Amino acid sequence: MTIARGMLLQSAQFDRFISAATGASGLVAADRIVVCGTHRSGTTLLGDLLSADPRTAQLFEPFSPLSGIACVDRWYASADRAGSRWRHVIDDYVAGRNTKWRTRRDETPNLSRWFKGTPMLREYVAARVRRPQRIVVKCPYLTLSAQYLIEQHDFRALFTVRHPGAFLASLRRVQWDAAVWLDDLVEQESCSREERAMATTEAAQAGLLWRIVNRHALETQRRFPNSAVLLSHEDFCADPHGEMDRVTRALGIAYSSKMREAVTHATGGDIVIPPEGKVEHLVRNASAMVGEWRHRVSARDEAELRQICEPLYRELVGTDWLGRRLVALDQECETSKATAR
């Protein structure tokens, strides 16, 4: 069945048919945006919000080793490293050629799937056929490839940054092990073996993963200030419309009425922490989410996270560990000094 399905939607003949029918090949759109950051940092929600306009196509996690492109066998493909083998995979994906998709392990082949292909394959085909105004690639696992996407394929990148404590609490809630991602980063030389060996606790592993991914996000934003945008998850939860207005202006797109409606709906719910076993819940009480991780992370784990992540967190979001604006703290300090004099 897999071979037959490939003949239907994943063949070179089908690629040529799409190119001839649309007059172009690959992922063609006026705006191409990739939504990145660590997983469990709000990328799914941001991808949905940026895709609220009708003439938008969203592509969900094409570089996931579980359900994405068939040859992707590592988390956080590191195409920004010179000579990376992932560059030609990205080139083919954007150009609409030689891109085959895997079937999830939990999917049982059936007649419908045989004809239609997997959901990710259908999204990919639809994006090529529809020729949308905007393409949004939601994929945290492209964070370490964002510079290549910007430089070679004219993407703009949005990085979501979640507080390290909230990141650890979220990983624990869904029972995901940060060590899995770290081991793949070591294999790709994005993490040293020495760093990995020193991260022996759950908090240290989550903190190291957070630091590697977000350090690259900051480097990308500094290198491409007009093409890369940082969004604090906590700032978004505190002021959803204000932050979305800022982000869309930075990305060069309109904060449309459809997007405003989607933001209002997604952030105005009652649920703060989703029920056990639910990986994603996209309608939340956003304001109540700010800082709630402190009830789920021990003082010992928090201290370990602070040692690994706090300096970078301050650079990324402009607040201290507790969420106080650094500018305001500096002014307060200057006022105290003046009073003391």
Side-chain angles (χ1 to χ4, degrees), residues 157-159 161 217-218 221 228-232 243 246-247 316:
L158 171 62
F159 298 99
V161 180
L218 183 59
Q221 196 278 328
V229 184
L230 301 174
L231 171 65
S232 161
E243 284 300 290
R246 179 186 67 82
V247 163
L316 283 161

Side-chain angles (χ1 to χ4, degrees), residues 124-190:
Y124 185 59
V125 171
R128 295 166 61 198
V129 171
R130 285 175 52 204
R131 300 287 301 277
Q133 175 70 24
R134 182 186 311 146
I135 287 174
V136 176
V137 179
K138 179 273 177 194
C139 192
Y141 311 118
L142 280 169
T143 300
L144 305 189
S145 299
Q147 295 180 20
Y148 187 75
L149 284 166
I150 292 169
E151 202 163 30
Q152 298 298 320
H153 295 290
D154 198 29
F155 270 76
R156 278 161 286 171
L158 171 62
F159 298 99
T160 62
V161 180
R162 193 171 191 179
H163 192 287
F167 176 59
L168 173 60
S170 186
L171 285 177
R172 282 178 171 166
R173 188 184 68 77
V174 295
Q175 300 179 6
W176 288 2
D177 185 358
V180 174
W181 287 271
L182 282 176
D183 292 342
D184 278 5
L185 291 175
V186 170
E187 290 298 319
Q188 299 176 84
E189 300 181 354
S190 295

Side-chain angles (χ1 to χ4, degrees), residues 87-284:
R87 292 188 172 187
H88 82 272
V89 180
I90 289 174
D91 294 342
D92 285 348
Y93 170 70
V94 176
R97 61 174 183 255
N98 304 323
T99 301
K100 314 304 179 189
W101 299 82
R102 69 173 77 244
T103 300
R104 289 182 61 100
R105 295 171 190 164
D106 57 354
E107 287 182 335
T108 303
N110 57 37
L111 187 61
S112 173
R113 193 168 293 116
W114 185 81
F115 281 110
K116 295 179 181 179
T118 66
M120 290 187 181
L121 172 58
R122 294 199 299 272
E123 286 179 351
Y124 185 59
V125 171
R128 295 166 61 198
V129 171
R130 285 175 52 204
R131 300 287 301 277
Q133 175 70 24
R134 182 186 311 146
I135 287 174
V136 176
V137 179
K138 179 273 177 194
C139 192
Y141 311 118
L142 280 169
T143 300
L144 305 189
S145 299
Q147 295 180 20
Y148 187 75
L149 284 166
I150 292 169
E151 202 163 30
Q152 298 298 320
H153 295 290
D154 198 29
F155 270 76
R156 278 161 286 171
L158 171 62
F159 298 99
T160 62
V161 180
R162 193 171 191 179
H163 192 287
F167 176 59
L168 173 60
S170 186
L171 285 177
R172 282 178 171 166
R173 188 184 68 77
V174 295
Q175 300 179 6
W176 288 2
D177 185 358
V180 174
W181 287 271
L182 282 176
D183 292 342
D184 278 5
L185 291 175
V186 170
E187 290 298 319
Q188 299 176 84
E189 300 181 354
S190 295
C191 174
S192 73
R193 295 189 182 278
E194 293 73 21
E195 280 184 309
R196 173 66 186 89
M198 290 175 63
T200 57
T201 67
E202 186 182 29
Q205 290 167 3
L208 178 57
L209 176 60
W210 184 96
R211 189 175 67 190
I212 291 169
V213 174
N214 284 295
R215 181 173 58 203
H216 195 80
L218 183 59
E219 289 170 357
T220 303
Q221 196 278 328
R222 287 175 172 172
R223 184 179 174 193
F224 300 100
N226 296 321
S227 300
V229 184
L230 301 174
L231 171 65
S232 161
H233 183 273
E234 282 67 32
D235 285 351
F236 171 79
C237 288
D239 181 14
H241 287 290
E243 284 300 290
M244 280 302 292
D245 181 59
R246 179 186 67 82
V247 163
T248 51
R249 281 189 283 109
L251 292 171
I253 62 176
Y255 187 25
S256 66
S257 58
K258 288 286 187 184
M259 206 180 295
R260 288 178 183 276
E261 290 173 13
V263 170
T264 298
H265 175 70
T267 59
D270 297 322
I271 292 175
V272 179
I273 306 299
E276 194 71 29
K278 191 164 181 69
V279 174
E280 291 167 353
H281 196 99
L282 301 184
V283 178
R284 303 269 199 104

